[in-house]
Amino acid sequence: MTGKFISIEGIEGAGKSTQLSFIESYLIKQGKQVVVTREPGGTGLGEALRELLLSPNYMGMSPDTELLLMFAARAEHIAQVIQPALAAEQWVICDRFVDATFAYQGGGRGIDIERIQTVSDWTLNELNTDLTLLFDLPVEIGQQRVIKRQQQKDRFEQEKTAFFTDIRQCYLNRAEQSAGRIQVIDASQSIEHIQCQVIKKLDVLLEQ
Ligand code: TMP
């Protein structure tokens, strides 16, 4: 037996951090050993790559470079954190995983999905999430939330509305094609309503 692998996804401002803490405490209450991690990042090398990827110093980074750095961080993350945790029957909750690459580098940057699939097959080697929760909301609402944070915007957050509209659409298309692995949650609802939906999805996985 191995643990379960959950990722959470959504455009900027979808409320992933709040939901991540909620999911972690819910699973701990159910007696699970939980590892919380993130992409890009999750390892020393991955966090160093994250700094490069998010830094506004590299606004002109080529889409292929961006894609390969995302997968380099992911390869390290899988080898050092995700696989060992799953093998030890722990539950891994990851703030973003490969669906983000299809949405951001595919939908956002316009890289051909087949090319992303090739690098993905090579890097993931059959690994994928058991459940991905996609927190979906209109781009404008997400952007208003990001503005309220009043932090310096990273390289992705500085992109225009159209970039995020394409990403959102790509996420939703992917959810439709995912045969249930990706579950969409309306993130514009009240927090209580969202958490109720999250519990329902987690309970299905807990019963498997
Ligand atoms: P975060 O701030 O939500 O943790 O994510 C960092 C940024 O990296 C976010 O704007 C989405 C982006 N990203 C990609 O473009 N491709 C990926 O594969 C991942 C994991 C994140």
Short mmCIF file of all heavy atoms in Angstrom, two decimals, residues 12 16 38-40 50 54 66 70 74 95-97 100-101 104-105 154 156-157, ligand 1:
data_model
loop_
_atom_site.label_atom_id
_atom_site.label_comp_id
_atom_site.label_asym_id
_atom_site.label_seq_id
_atom_site.Cartn_x
_atom_site.Cartn_y
_atom_site.Cartn_z
N GLU A 12 -4.16 32.70 -9.77
CA GLU A 12 -3.77 33.60 -8.69
C GLU A 12 -5.03 34.11 -7.97
O GLU A 12 -6.00 34.49 -8.62
CB GLU A 12 -2.99 34.80 -9.25
CG GLU A 12 -1.49 34.63 -9.39
CD GLU A 12 -1.02 33.46 -10.24
OE1 GLU A 12 -1.82 32.90 -11.01
OE2 GLU A 12 0.16 33.10 -10.13
N LYS A 16 -5.87 29.17 -2.54
CA LYS A 16 -5.26 27.86 -2.33
C LYS A 16 -4.66 27.71 -0.93
O LYS A 16 -4.78 26.64 -0.34
CB LYS A 16 -4.14 27.62 -3.35
CG LYS A 16 -4.60 27.33 -4.75
CD LYS A 16 -3.43 26.94 -5.64
CE LYS A 16 -2.48 28.05 -5.91
NZ LYS A 16 -1.20 28.04 -5.25
N ARG A 38 5.11 22.05 -2.09
CA ARG A 38 4.64 22.95 -3.14
C ARG A 38 5.52 22.88 -4.38
O ARG A 38 6.67 22.44 -4.31
CB ARG A 38 4.60 24.38 -2.64
CG ARG A 38 5.98 24.99 -2.41
CD ARG A 38 5.85 26.46 -2.11
NE ARG A 38 7.14 27.09 -1.83
CZ ARG A 38 7.28 28.36 -1.51
NH1 ARG A 38 6.24 29.13 -1.39
NH2 ARG A 38 8.49 28.87 -1.27
N GLU A 39 4.96 23.36 -5.48
CA GLU A 39 5.73 23.48 -6.73
C GLU A 39 5.50 24.85 -7.35
O GLU A 39 4.38 25.37 -7.26
CB GLU A 39 5.28 22.39 -7.71
CG GLU A 39 5.75 21.03 -7.27
CD GLU A 39 5.89 20.04 -8.44
OE1 GLU A 39 5.45 20.36 -9.56
OE2 GLU A 39 6.43 18.97 -8.20
N PRO A 40 6.47 25.44 -8.05
CA PRO A 40 7.82 24.93 -8.01
C PRO A 40 8.39 25.09 -6.61
O PRO A 40 8.10 26.07 -5.94
CB PRO A 40 8.56 25.83 -9.03
CG PRO A 40 7.74 27.07 -9.12
CD PRO A 40 6.34 26.68 -8.85
N ARG A 50 12.64 27.97 -7.95
CA ARG A 50 11.43 28.80 -7.79
C ARG A 50 11.78 30.30 -7.78
O ARG A 50 11.12 31.11 -8.40
CB ARG A 50 10.71 28.42 -6.48
CG ARG A 50 9.44 29.22 -6.22
CD ARG A 50 8.86 28.94 -4.84
NE ARG A 50 7.72 29.78 -4.58
CZ ARG A 50 6.45 29.45 -4.85
NH1 ARG A 50 6.16 28.29 -5.36
NH2 ARG A 50 5.47 30.29 -4.60
N LEU A 54 10.21 32.90 -10.42
CA LEU A 54 9.26 33.94 -10.01
C LEU A 54 9.86 35.35 -10.04
O LEU A 54 9.12 36.34 -9.98
CB LEU A 54 8.71 33.64 -8.60
CG LEU A 54 7.42 32.82 -8.56
CD1 LEU A 54 7.53 31.52 -9.32
CD2 LEU A 54 6.95 32.56 -7.14
N GLU A 66 11.31 28.27 -19.25
CA GLU A 66 10.38 28.24 -18.11
C GLU A 66 9.83 26.82 -17.90
O GLU A 66 9.81 26.29 -16.79
CB GLU A 66 9.24 29.22 -18.41
CG GLU A 66 8.27 29.41 -17.28
CD GLU A 66 7.24 30.48 -17.65
OE1 GLU A 66 7.56 31.67 -17.64
OE2 GLU A 66 6.09 30.09 -17.97
N MET A 70 10.59 24.31 -14.70
CA MET A 70 9.47 23.76 -13.90
C MET A 70 9.65 22.24 -13.76
O MET A 70 9.49 21.69 -12.68
CB MET A 70 8.11 24.04 -14.57
CG MET A 70 7.66 25.48 -14.55
SD MET A 70 7.23 26.02 -12.88
CE MET A 70 6.88 27.75 -13.21
N ARG A 74 10.51 19.78 -10.63
CA ARG A 74 9.56 18.68 -10.37
C ARG A 74 10.29 17.34 -10.27
O ARG A 74 9.95 16.51 -9.40
CB ARG A 74 8.52 18.66 -11.48
CG ARG A 74 7.44 17.61 -11.31
CD ARG A 74 6.22 17.93 -12.17
NE ARG A 74 5.65 19.20 -11.78
CZ ARG A 74 5.29 20.17 -12.65
NH1 ARG A 74 5.42 19.99 -13.94
NH2 ARG A 74 4.79 21.29 -12.20
N ASP A 95 0.84 21.95 -3.26
CA ASP A 95 0.31 23.21 -3.80
C ASP A 95 0.85 23.33 -5.23
O ASP A 95 1.99 23.71 -5.42
CB ASP A 95 0.83 24.35 -2.90
CG ASP A 95 0.22 25.68 -3.28
OD1 ASP A 95 -0.38 25.79 -4.37
OD2 ASP A 95 0.36 26.63 -2.47
N ARG A 96 0.05 22.90 -6.16
CA ARG A 96 0.33 22.81 -7.60
C ARG A 96 1.18 21.59 -7.95
O ARG A 96 2.09 21.20 -7.22
CB ARG A 96 1.04 24.05 -8.15
CG ARG A 96 0.26 25.34 -7.98
CD ARG A 96 0.89 26.42 -8.84
NE ARG A 96 0.31 27.73 -8.60
CZ ARG A 96 -0.84 28.15 -9.13
NH1 ARG A 96 -1.53 27.36 -9.91
NH2 ARG A 96 -1.28 29.37 -8.89
N PHE A 97 0.86 21.02 -9.11
CA PHE A 97 1.68 19.93 -9.68
C PHE A 97 1.58 20.07 -11.19
O PHE A 97 1.41 21.18 -11.71
CB PHE A 97 1.22 18.56 -9.12
CG PHE A 97 2.15 17.43 -9.43
CD1 PHE A 97 3.46 17.42 -8.99
CD2 PHE A 97 1.72 16.34 -10.20
CE1 PHE A 97 4.32 16.38 -9.29
CE2 PHE A 97 2.58 15.29 -10.50
CZ PHE A 97 3.88 15.31 -10.05
N ALA A 100 -0.61 22.43 -13.41
CA ALA A 100 -0.24 23.84 -13.51
C ALA A 100 0.62 24.09 -14.75
O ALA A 100 0.51 25.13 -15.40
CB ALA A 100 0.52 24.29 -12.26
N THR A 101 1.47 23.13 -15.09
CA THR A 101 2.32 23.32 -16.27
C THR A 101 1.49 23.32 -17.55
O THR A 101 1.71 24.13 -18.46
CB THR A 101 3.39 22.21 -16.34
OG1 THR A 101 4.00 22.09 -15.06
CG2 THR A 101 4.44 22.52 -17.38
N TYR A 104 -0.42 26.81 -17.29
CA TYR A 104 0.37 28.05 -17.40
C TYR A 104 1.27 28.06 -18.64
O TYR A 104 1.29 29.03 -19.38
CB TYR A 104 1.22 28.27 -16.14
CG TYR A 104 0.44 28.87 -15.00
CD1 TYR A 104 -0.44 28.09 -14.26
CD2 TYR A 104 0.54 30.21 -14.66
CE1 TYR A 104 -1.18 28.63 -13.21
CE2 TYR A 104 -0.19 30.77 -13.62
CZ TYR A 104 -1.05 29.97 -12.90
OH TYR A 104 -1.78 30.51 -11.87
N GLN A 105 2.05 26.97 -18.80
CA GLN A 105 2.98 26.98 -19.94
C GLN A 105 2.25 26.61 -21.23
O GLN A 105 2.61 27.06 -22.31
CB GLN A 105 4.17 26.05 -19.68
CG GLN A 105 5.24 26.64 -18.76
CD GLN A 105 4.77 26.90 -17.34
OE1 GLN A 105 4.26 26.00 -16.68
NE2 GLN A 105 4.93 28.12 -16.87
N ASP A 154 4.98 38.89 -8.32
CA ASP A 154 6.03 38.09 -8.94
C ASP A 154 5.89 38.11 -10.47
O ASP A 154 5.00 38.76 -11.01
CB ASP A 154 6.06 36.66 -8.34
CG ASP A 154 4.84 35.83 -8.70
OD1 ASP A 154 4.34 35.95 -9.83
OD2 ASP A 154 4.39 35.03 -7.85
N PHE A 156 4.85 36.02 -12.63
CA PHE A 156 3.58 35.56 -13.19
C PHE A 156 2.44 36.53 -12.87
O PHE A 156 1.62 36.85 -13.72
CB PHE A 156 3.23 34.15 -12.67
CG PHE A 156 4.13 33.08 -13.24
CD1 PHE A 156 5.24 32.63 -12.53
CD2 PHE A 156 3.90 32.56 -14.50
CE1 PHE A 156 6.08 31.66 -13.06
CE2 PHE A 156 4.73 31.59 -15.04
CZ PHE A 156 5.83 31.14 -14.31
N GLU A 157 2.44 37.01 -11.62
CA GLU A 157 1.36 37.92 -11.20
C GLU A 157 1.34 39.20 -12.01
O GLU A 157 0.32 39.89 -12.08
CB GLU A 157 1.50 38.24 -9.70
CG GLU A 157 1.17 37.06 -8.80
CD GLU A 157 1.61 37.24 -7.36
OE1 GLU A 157 2.42 38.16 -7.07
OE2 GLU A 157 1.17 36.45 -6.51
P1 TMP B 1 2.20 29.83 -6.38
O1 TMP B 1 2.62 31.22 -6.09
O2 TMP B 1 0.76 29.66 -6.57
O3 TMP B 1 2.82 28.87 -5.45
O4 TMP B 1 2.82 29.43 -7.82
C1 TMP B 1 3.91 30.02 -8.33
C2 TMP B 1 3.68 30.44 -9.75
O5 TMP B 1 4.25 29.46 -10.62
C3 TMP B 1 2.23 30.60 -10.17
O6 TMP B 1 2.10 31.85 -10.82
C4 TMP B 1 2.01 29.50 -11.16
C5 TMP B 1 3.38 29.20 -11.69
N1 TMP B 1 3.58 27.81 -12.14
C6 TMP B 1 3.72 27.57 -13.49
O7 TMP B 1 3.66 28.48 -14.31
N2 TMP B 1 3.91 26.26 -13.90
C7 TMP B 1 3.99 25.23 -13.02
O8 TMP B 1 4.17 24.08 -13.43
C8 TMP B 1 3.86 25.52 -11.61
C9 TMP B 1 3.96 24.41 -10.63
C10 TMP B 1 3.65 26.81 -11.22
#
